[in-house]
Amino acid sequence: MQSPEKRKTDLASLDPAFRVKQLANYGAMVEVDPNVPPRRYYRSGLEMVRMANVYLAEGSLENAYILYMKFMTLFLEKVRKHPEYNTIPADIKSVNQAKLKEVMPKAEKLKQKLLEQYTKEHVLYKENESKRKVQEEARRKQEQEDAKLAQRLQADENRQDGNATTPHLTHTENWAVTPSAPPVDGVLYPDDFATEPPRAPAHHYKPVPPLIPPKPIQEDYSDLLPMAGGLRTVVVPATLMAKFLTIAAANTAKNIELCGILAGRLEKNQLKITHVIVPKQSGTADSCSTNNEEEIFYYQDQHNLITLGWIHTHPTQTAFLSSVDLHTQCSYQLMMAEAIAIVCAPKYNETGYFALTPDYGMKFIANCRETGFHPHPNDPPLFYNVTHMRLDNTSPVEMVDLRR
């Protein structure tokens, strides 16, 4: 794995304008699924801007710029192609237009700031590279001199072994070591020969490895947002599951599922769950669906929260994702690559933290047009136990029950 310092050097070697263009390209890597209601994208857009503003405030300029570019690409170009675009209410579109007017100048200023930053890094890189080449050339010349000296000493040793009557070093002025050269241990001069023949000097130099060419730009930005190939950590309060099961206890006793929305905030490139919003809903033994989503959106807007996934119970079953759950998770993951599904199975004392596999599960489920419970293939797997989440024993969580 490439070290952060090496990755930083490789990036600095790139043309500054090219680096900014690559960030913009990552921001443009967004598609609209015609089967996802367009209002979901408008909700996701607002959360996108919230995260970008946090990144900007924290000084993570690249992440902020990527998200601003994604937002602009989504609403200036992509969402207009949605087959249900004309059904979006005018008031929702007006809110979005206001955000665009806010984001566009921010993105332009960020672009200039990043270009200035990258230009400084590139100039420094070229200065350091020039110094490195000078040092490398000096080292190379010294190694050549050492090699020549070793060869001459070896030739003299061979003459001694051949019973030569006179020493080989007849022109001592040609053997003098320049004052600037480092001392060579083990060198015996003519007056010191006596009975001990000269030996080749110890070689203290190591060859300088060739410069490793920069990795492809896609890999160099892997520590940025999901659009660039990485997943941010989702921090889950350790008390969340027990609190949710307490709220769900009445439903569990009736063998009815209960679901909630995982919401939280972005902080230092980590997604922290701070709230579980339990909406008005209807449920059965193996399913649940939310009602009046506007109440959820309103609460999130009032508290500046972003959606990080969902949680639900399996009153009588183990922890897994059913075919219906897979489609629900797909809608969350399309909006937020890190979105997780927490499944609590109180009967079996199990808790699962799941997500669709990004290389197969997401594509398969997004293209599946069946509804209700239906069979899916198990190989390759459609979902997995997530590794980008972390339980935290100190993080608080607030349970918000909108059913009351």
Side-chain angles (χ1 to χ4, degrees):
M1 184 177 180
Q2 192 182 34
S3 68
E5 283 302 316
K6 181 62 172 63
R7 182 166 60 250
K8 184 177 179 181
T9 300
D10 286 348
L11 287 173
S13 70
L14 300 173
D15 177 73
F18 174 75
R19 291 179 68 183
V20 174
K21 184 178 180 180
Q22 284 297 91
L23 288 180
N25 288 341
Y26 285 131
M29 291 171 59
V30 54
E31 296 297 333
V32 170
D33 188 333
N35 298 292
V36 175
R39 294 188 69 171
R40 290 277 182 90
Y41 286 102
Y42 278 84
R43 288 299 311 168
S44 178
L46 294 177
E47 297 185 358
M48 224 178 280
V49 174
R50 287 173 189 163
M51 288 190 289
N53 290 340
V54 171
Y55 276 128
L56 185 60
E58 291 182 346
S60 184
L61 305 187
E62 292 167 326
N63 281 327
Y65 184 66
I66 289 176
L67 278 180
Y68 285 143
M69 291 302 299
K70 183 177 182 182
F71 177 79
M72 291 190 295
T73 301
L74 184 59
F75 294 103
L76 289 175
E77 177 188 351
K78 301 295 180 70
V79 80
R80 297 172 185 271
K81 299 177 182 178
H82 196 288
E84 299 177 24
Y85 174 74
N86 292 329
T87 65
I88 300 296
D91 59 335
I92 293 180
K93 288 183 178 179
S94 65
V95 170
N96 181 266
Q97 287 298 315
K99 285 294 179 185
L100 279 170
K101 291 180 180 179
E102 170 193 322
V103 164
M104 291 174 71
K106 281 186 176 181
E108 187 58 31
K109 289 181 181 178
L110 262 180
K111 178 181 178 181
Q112 294 304 317
K113 194 165 186 177
L114 286 168
L115 187 59
E116 292 172 4
Q117 175 185 319
Y118 292 163
T119 300
K120 291 178 181 178
E121 292 175 2
H122 191 60
V123 169
L124 181 60
Y125 164 80
K126 289 195 293 185
E127 291 176 354
N128 291 336
E129 186 67 5
S130 178
K131 292 178 182 177
R132 186 196 64 79
K133 288 181 179 179
V134 170
Q135 293 172 349
E136 184 179 346
E137 179 63 18
R139 181 179 298 179
R140 185 185 65 80
K141 289 181 178 179
Q142 185 61 54
E143 288 180 351
Q144 290 176 345
E145 290 180 9
D146 288 349
K148 290 179 181 178
L149 180 60
Q151 289 174 356
R152 291 180 182 179
L153 289 175
Q154 184 63 53
D156 187 79
E157 183 176 346
N158 292 340
R159 285 175 176 271
Q160 291 288 334
D161 292 341
N163 298 318
T165 57
T166 58
H168 176 62
L169 304 180
T170 56
H171 302 288
T172 57
E173 67 275 6
N174 296 331
W175 292 82
V177 178
T178 59
S180 61
V184 183
D185 297 333
V187 177
L188 298 177
Y189 295 93
D191 293 341
D192 300 325
F193 284 165
T195 58
E196 180 67 24
R199 301 292 179 185
H203 193 62
H204 294 295
Y205 297 96
K206 295 182 180 179
V208 178
L211 284 179
I212 302 174
K215 288 188 176 182
I217 191 73
Q218 289 84 355
E219 295 183 32
D220 287 323
Y221 282 105
S222 62
D223 58 339
L224 297 180
L225 293 176
M227 295 77 74
L231 288 178
R232 294 162 292 189
T233 299
V234 178
V235 179
V236 181
T239 58
L240 186 155
M241 284 63 66
K243 290 184 176 181
F244 182 71
L245 284 174
T246 299
I247 290 179
N251 276 34
T252 301
K254 299 174 186 176
N255 193 25
I256 297 175
E257 287 191 4
L258 184 76
C259 68
I261 311 301
L262 303 175
R265 298 184 176 89
L266 171 67
E267 185 178 315
K268 296 180 180 178
N269 210 32
Q270 289 189 333
L271 300 166
K272 296 187 175 182
I273 298 175
T274 58
H275 293 70
V276 176
I277 306 171
V278 180
K280 293 182 176 67
Q281 58 191 275
S282 55
T284 67
D286 51 21
S287 68
C288 57
S289 57
T290 60
N291 303 321
N292 197 359
E293 288 188 333
E294 292 300 326
E295 287 187 354
I296 305 173
F297 300 155
Y298 178 78
Y299 186 88
Q300 288 182 272
D301 289 343
Q302 292 297 108
H303 295 81
N304 203 30
L305 300 173
I306 55 179
T307 305
L308 303 177
W310 65 304
I311 181 172
H312 71 289
T313 57
H314 279 183
T316 61
Q317 302 181 81
T318 57
F320 69 101
L321 292 182
S322 69
S323 59
V324 173
D325 294 340
L326 291 174
H327 283 265
T328 302
Q329 174 61 17
C330 185
S331 67
Y332 282 99
Q333 228 166 306
L334 280 170
M335 300 297 107
M336 168 78 74
E338 294 92 344
I340 64 173
I342 301 179
V343 182
C344 299
K347 181 177 180 179
Y348 295 91
N349 195 28
E350 285 184 353
T351 301
Y353 307 89
F354 305 118
L356 297 181
T357 55
D359 54 343
Y360 177 70
M362 280 295 293
K363 295 177 182 177
F364 185 92
I365 297 300
N367 291 316
C368 177
R369 298 293 174 259
E370 295 190 54
T371 59
F373 289 97
H374 53 278
H376 286 140
N378 295 321
D379 189 23
L382 294 172
F383 67 97
Y384 70 110
N385 292 289
V386 297
T387 56
H388 63 278
M389 60 80 64
R390 174 174 63 84
L391 289 176
D392 192 331
N393 292 320
T394 61
S395 295
V397 61
E398 185 173 346
M399 312 302 290
V400 181
D401 196 342
L402 300 179
R403 298 174 300 168
R404 300 170 181 172

